[in-house]
């Protein structure tokens, strides 16, 4: 009964648009708002990055990660150089990653903090795989796929942070928890101003199956989740079988392109996880 009351409370907050963000993410949200303005000048973006030392450090680390340094070039040593290398769209992804990570950073219970860290590692793998899959297989925009991979578990991070104050909230995931996760995710995607095509792809992941051959952003995310070496610690019953099936298994078996994608994405995931660790 108590768990049902907790579910009802969070659902009511979500539907009223009252989901609460950590106060520590204000700089990231302000950067997102600025970058969403088509008239945002590069100097404005640089000033906002420099206004928050952690954000500036993460931008430089991201610029030097395998995702952005694979084509060579000098090591980036300034926020200006980072902004110019990664571009507005990936700065937007960085700001979103800071928001996602800060939900986990405020958790006090050790077990929940461990789950949040595992969830971040899963998200980093999915983001890296999505980036490489988009370039080499599904032919969607790689930067969009990277952003979607970072954001796809934002609802899980939020629920982990709430479970810190609502013991047992995430115990024994069932259909109700799946519905709660979906409602919270949709609300958070709206609050974070996630573009509609990305929000739609993320919201439709639950219970989804990969097309053969894969194509589009949703398939990119589903396949990345299927290939990720580390599963989400919050995987629901239907998530455990997403993207499985004889047709997909046959498609993946002995597929040299998939093997190449796995190798390339592994290094991207390692460097991305470190670069975005906030």
């Amino acid at each position: 009964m108590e768990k049902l009351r907790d579910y009802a409370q969070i659902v009511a907050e979500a539907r009223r648009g009252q989901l609460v963000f950590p106060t520590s993410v204000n700089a990231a949200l302000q950067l997102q708002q600025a970058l969403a303005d088509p008239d945002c000048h590069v100097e404005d973006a640089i000033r906002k990055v420099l206004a928050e030392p952690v954000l500036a450090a993460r931008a430089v680390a991201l610029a030097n990660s395998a995702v952005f340094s694979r084509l060579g070039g000098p090591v980036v040593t300034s926020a200006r150089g980072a902004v110019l290398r990664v571009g507005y769209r990936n700065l937007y992804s960085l700001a979103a990653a800071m928001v996602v990570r800060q939900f986990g950073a405020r958790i006090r219970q050790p077990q929940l903090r461990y789950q949040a860290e595992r969830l971040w590692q899963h998200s980093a793998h999915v983001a890296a795989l999505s980036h490489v899959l988009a370039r080499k297989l599904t032919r969607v925009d790689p930067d969009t796929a990277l952003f979607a991979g970072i954001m796809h578990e934002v609802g899980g991070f939020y629920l982990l942070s709430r479970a810190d104050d609502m013991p047992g909230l995430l115990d024994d995931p069932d259909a109700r928890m799946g519905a709660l996760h979906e409602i919270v995710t949709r609300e958070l995607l709206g609050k974070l101003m996630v573009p509609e095509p990305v929000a739609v792809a993320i919201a439709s992941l639950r219970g989804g199956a990969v097309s053969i051959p894969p194509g589009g952003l949703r398939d990119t995310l589903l396949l990345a989740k299927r290939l990720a070496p580390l599963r989400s610690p919050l995987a629901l019953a239907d998530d455990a079988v997403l993207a499985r099936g004889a047709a997909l298994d046959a498609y993946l078996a002995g597929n040299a392109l998939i093997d190449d994608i796995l190798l390339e994405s592994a290094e991207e995931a390692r460097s991305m996880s470190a670069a975005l660790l906030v």
Side-chain angles (χ1 to χ4, degrees):
M1 185 63 69
E2 190 170 324
K3 187 186 292 187
L4 287 176
R5 284 198 299 269
D6 291 342
Y7 285 175
Q9 179 181 334
I10 295 175
V11 168
E13 290 171 353
R15 287 177 171 164
R16 291 195 300 266
Q18 294 178 338
L19 297 179
V20 179
F21 287 80
T23 56
S24 56
V25 303
N26 287 338
L29 291 174
Q30 289 172 9
L31 177 60
Q32 277 190 298
Q33 291 170 356
L35 295 175
D37 182 351
D39 296 323
C40 179
H41 192 274
V42 65
E43 295 299 329
D44 294 331
I46 292 169
R47 278 195 294 271
K48 283 186 168 53
V49 170
L50 287 172
E52 173 50 57
V54 172
L55 184 57
R58 294 305 96 205
V60 171
L62 183 64
N64 289 316
S65 71
V67 179
F68 296 102
S69 63
R70 67 179 186 278
L71 299 180
V75 173
V76 170
T77 58
S78 68
R80 176 180 295 276
V83 170
L84 294 176
R85 176 174 285 185
V86 306
Y88 280 13
R89 294 174 67 191
N90 291 301
L91 276 179
Y92 194 95
S93 295
L94 173 61
M98 288 189 68
V99 174
V100 169
R101 286 286 291 173
Q102 285 302 310
F103 282 126
R106 64 181 181 175
I107 295 172
R108 300 180 301 273
Q109 294 183 40
Q111 179 58 29
L112 292 175
R113 287 184 67 85
Y114 173 75
Q115 286 184 288
E117 184 56 35
R118 295 275 292 180
L119 189 59
W120 172 249
Q121 295 296 333
H122 169 75
S123 297
H125 279 291
V126 170
L129 278 161
S130 296
H131 189 251
V132 182
L133 283 165
R135 282 193 289 107
K136 294 194 168 186
L137 179 63
T138 57
R139 303 303 179 188
V140 300
D141 178 68
D143 292 340
T144 299
L146 178 71
F147 175 59
I150 289 170
M151 293 301 301
H152 86 282
E153 281 284 8
V154 64
F157 281 101
Y158 183 84
L159 290 174
L160 278 168
S161 72
R162 294 305 302 273
D164 209 34
D165 300 315
M166 297 177 171
L169 177 69
L170 301 178
D171 293 349
D172 304 319
D174 55 19
R176 285 192 304 274
M177 177 53 68
L180 175 63
H181 190 288
E182 189 172 332
I183 291 167
V184 167
T185 296
R186 289 178 183 274
E187 174 62 24
L188 287 168
L189 293 174
K191 275 205 165 191
L192 288 169
M193 300 177 292
V194 172
E196 184 178 1
V198 177
V200 168
I202 293 172
S204 64
L205 291 178
R206 184 168 171 249
V210 180
S211 304
I212 305 297
L217 183 57
R218 178 173 174 269
D219 275 357
T220 302
L221 291 170
L222 284 170
L223 187 53
K225 287 179 71 66
R226 170 69 165 79
L227 295 173
L230 186 65
R231 290 200 53 75
S232 165
L234 301 181
L236 303 174
D238 57 348
D239 290 327
V241 295
L242 68 82
R244 286 185 183 171
L248 182 62
D249 289 342
Y251 176 78
L252 295 176
N255 190 320
L257 178 58
I258 295 296
D259 292 340
D260 288 344
I261 288 169
L262 286 169
L263 285 173
E264 184 172 339
S265 70
E267 174 57 29
E268 287 200 9
R270 281 192 294 271
S271 63
M272 186 184 307
S273 181
L276 300 182
L277 191 61
V278 293

